[in-house]
Each structure stands twice: as structure tokens, then as C-alpha cells.
Amino acid sequence: MNRDLSFFTSLVLLHESRYSTSPYFIKDTDELIQAYLEEGYCKEYFDAVEYFENLSSHKPSFIISNNWQINFEILNEVWIFRRSLTEFESERYFEANKNLLQHQIRENISKLSPNQFEDLIFDIFSALEPTYYLPIRRPQTRDGGYEFTVRYDDPITNSYDRICVQVKHEISSVSVSHVRALIGVLDTLQNRNGKNRSRGIIVSLNKPSKEAVNCASLSSQSVDFLCIDRIIQLMIENQIGCKNIHTNQHIDNYYWENIGGEALCLI
């Protein structure tokens, strides 16, 4: 087996001499057979073919020097050479993967319809601590002002807040009129049910305008804002629209293709 490993080691050394910073490369079986013959490990072509067939069947994965792992992928009949990353490389790879995932989620959100965006925000609240957060859909004949409510149970006081969630899938910033409409809803709820606390959240693609923020801060009602960056962060934390594959997170295409469908209904 040492002679076998020396062949693969020579391939790794050749790769490192040319691409010292690249921790990954691929060879198909035909390439390996040709190199195996040229380097004198075998004289007959069919003997080389038999060798790689036996190796792929009985030892499709093994490690050689310098922390290189070699795996045979039977579907495409290729040999994958992968070096374990240094701490610095791992940090850079993790950061690049996170940035790519955030970009993909942002692009997918921009393509949603207003109703699908509402379903997405509902899914986010549904994924939060179920002991404390309970999202409740409104009837289809609902009036304006907000899309759904969330009951938040306070574990300290055993009381609860009703959160009215207004969802805006618009390119423009949240305007003063949006804030005033939600404040009006909260005023009505407070007058109707004085014992229960109500507050509001406006969810949007972009940050609220300065005037909208000032209007919310001057109001006697509690109105907060949830924007795209925080939405993406919550999705990644709760694996909504993305999923863990080994140690990395990737976009979940099934979720985006079926968002709002019956199969994903959470209540």
C-alpha cells in the first residue's frame, strides 16, 4: 500500500508546487490511469484499470500526508483531493460561505410576492421560541393596518403582549403613513381591551425613513421596525430557507419553491 500511497502523494506534491494555496482538486479515473502508467507504477493499461477499480471498490476514501483526504465519487467517477484547512483558511471560508448565503437569501426575498413575503415573516415568528411566541393569522377579509398578530407570553410576569405585525414588501422605505396607520390600530386595541398590552412591528425590505422613526418614537404606542438584514439573520439562525449540510449552511431550494404552500403550513 505504501507504493500506492506514493503515487497519490506525488499528485498532491505536484498540485502544491503549482497551486500552493488551493486545498482542493479533482482527477477523473482516466487521468489517474494515464499518470499511473507514465510514472511507471504499471506497464499494462488493463492492469492499471484493474488497480483503480479495486481501489475504488475496497478503499474509496483514505488520507495521505499533509492532511490530504482522497474520496472516490462513484456517480461521476472522479477522485476528489481535499486538504484540511488551516484556522485562517477556515475563517475565510466560513465568512465567504456566510456572505454567499446572505446574498442568496436576499435575492430570493426580493423575488417573493407580497403574500409570499407575509408567509415568510409568519414562518419566522413560528420558528421562534414556541413557548413564548404564537403567531395568529387574520381572516382573509381583514382590514388594513396589519397582516397578523403574535401573542408573546412573558415568562417573568405570566402576562402577554399582542404584537400587531405589518408587512411591507416594497422597495421604498417605510413611510410616516405606515407608522400612523399601525399606531391607529394600536390605539383602537388599547381602548377596546385596556388590560392587554399591544405593540406593533413593521417589517420591510428597507430601513424606515427618518420621519417614520421619529413618528414612532414620539408615539405613546410601542412600534418597532424589522428590516431585511435582521430578517436574514433570523432565517439563518432558525434554518428557514437554508439548511445545514455537514458544517456549512446552504440555500434550501425546496423551501423557496414551495413557500406559502399547504405543505409548509405551520398551524
Side-chain angles (χ1 to χ4, degrees), residues 96-135:
N97 182 72
K98 182 181 72 172
N99 291 338
L100 175 60
L101 180 64
Q102 290 173 340
H103 173 76
Q104 291 174 319
I105 293 176
R106 189 183 300 269
E107 287 292 306
N108 284 339
I109 290 176
S110 69
K111 297 175 184 178
L112 297 178
S113 68
N115 287 338
Q116 287 176 321
F117 186 53
E118 180 183 331
D119 288 330
L120 169 62
I121 303 307
F122 191 90
D123 287 347
I124 290 175
F125 277 101
S126 298
L128 299 178
E129 278 289 343
T131 305
Y132 305 135
Y133 290 92
L134 176 63

Side-chain angles (χ1 to χ4, degrees), residues 255-266:
Y255 178 86
W256 294 103
E257 292 170 359
N258 296 277
I259 185 170
E262 294 182 0
L264 295 179
C265 184
L266 298 178

Side-chain angles (χ1 to χ4, degrees), residues 13 40 60 84 101 118-119 131 155 160 167 174 180 214 228 238 254:
L13 292 176
S84 59
L101 180 64
E118 180 183 331
D119 288 330
T131 305
Y160 73 89
V167 183
V174 174
R180 288 173 177 164
N214 289 337
I228 188 68
N238 293 281
Y254 178 80

Side-chain angles (χ1 to χ4, degrees), residues 144-176:
Y146 65 103
E147 277 60 55
F148 61 88
T149 60
V150 177
R151 173 174 169 143
Y152 171 72
D153 291 295
D154 191 323
I156 304 298
T157 63
N158 289 325
S159 61
Y160 73 89
D161 291 355
R162 174 166 43 191
I163 307 172
C164 296
V165 183
Q166 185 184 105
V167 183
K168 300 296 180 184
H169 190 271
E170 301 172 358
I171 298 177
S172 57
S173 300
V174 174
S175 65
V176 174

Side-chain angles (χ1 to χ4, degrees), residues 57-227:
S57 298
H58 298 97
K59 198 174 182 64
S61 178
F62 53 92
I63 296 175
I64 59 174
S65 61
N66 297 325
N67 297 321
W68 280 87
Q69 180 166 350
I70 302 172
N71 296 293
F72 177 69
E73 186 180 284
I74 189 171
L75 184 62
N76 297 310
E77 292 192 1
V78 295
W79 298 78
I80 301 175
F81 295 68
R82 183 180 286 108
R83 173 174 56 78
S84 59
L85 301 179
T86 64
E87 182 178 353
F88 177 70
E89 289 173 330
S90 296
E91 290 176 355
R92 289 185 60 185
Y93 178 78
F94 176 80
E95 188 66 23
N97 182 72
K98 182 181 72 172
N99 291 338
L100 175 60
L101 180 64
Q102 290 173 340
H103 173 76
Q104 291 174 319
I105 293 176
R106 189 183 300 269
E107 287 292 306
N108 284 339
I109 290 176
S110 69
K111 297 175 184 178
L112 297 178
S113 68
N115 287 338
Q116 287 176 321
F117 186 53
E118 180 183 331
D119 288 330
L120 169 62
I121 303 307
F122 191 90
D123 287 347
I124 290 175
F125 277 101
S126 298
L128 299 178
E129 278 289 343
T131 305
Y132 305 135
Y133 290 92
L134 176 63
I136 304 170
R137 291 193 184 274
R138 299 184 67 198
Q140 292 296 322
T141 56
R142 61 179 180 246
D143 298 326
Y146 65 103
E147 277 60 55
F148 61 88
T149 60
V150 177
R151 173 174 169 143
Y152 171 72
D153 291 295
D154 191 323
I156 304 298
T157 63
N158 289 325
S159 61
Y160 73 89
D161 291 355
R162 174 166 43 191
I163 307 172
C164 296
V165 183
Q166 185 184 105
V167 183
K168 300 296 180 184
H169 190 271
E170 301 172 358
I171 298 177
S172 57
S173 300
V174 174
S175 65
V176 174
S177 61
H178 293 145
V179 177
R180 288 173 177 164
L182 186 54
I183 290 174
V185 169
L186 297 175
D187 286 336
T188 301
L189 291 174
Q190 182 176 357
N191 294 331
R192 185 186 304 166
N193 301 303
K195 294 183 179 180
N196 298 325
R197 296 189 302 268
S198 296
R199 53 194 176 99
I201 294 179
I202 300 180
V203 184
S204 61
L205 297 179
N206 290 306
K207 294 181 179 180
S209 65
K210 182 178 179 180
E211 293 77 11
V213 174
N214 289 337
C215 180
S217 63
L218 294 174
S219 172
S220 60
Q221 302 293 344
S222 174
V223 176
D224 295 305
F225 301 93
L226 179 62
C227 304

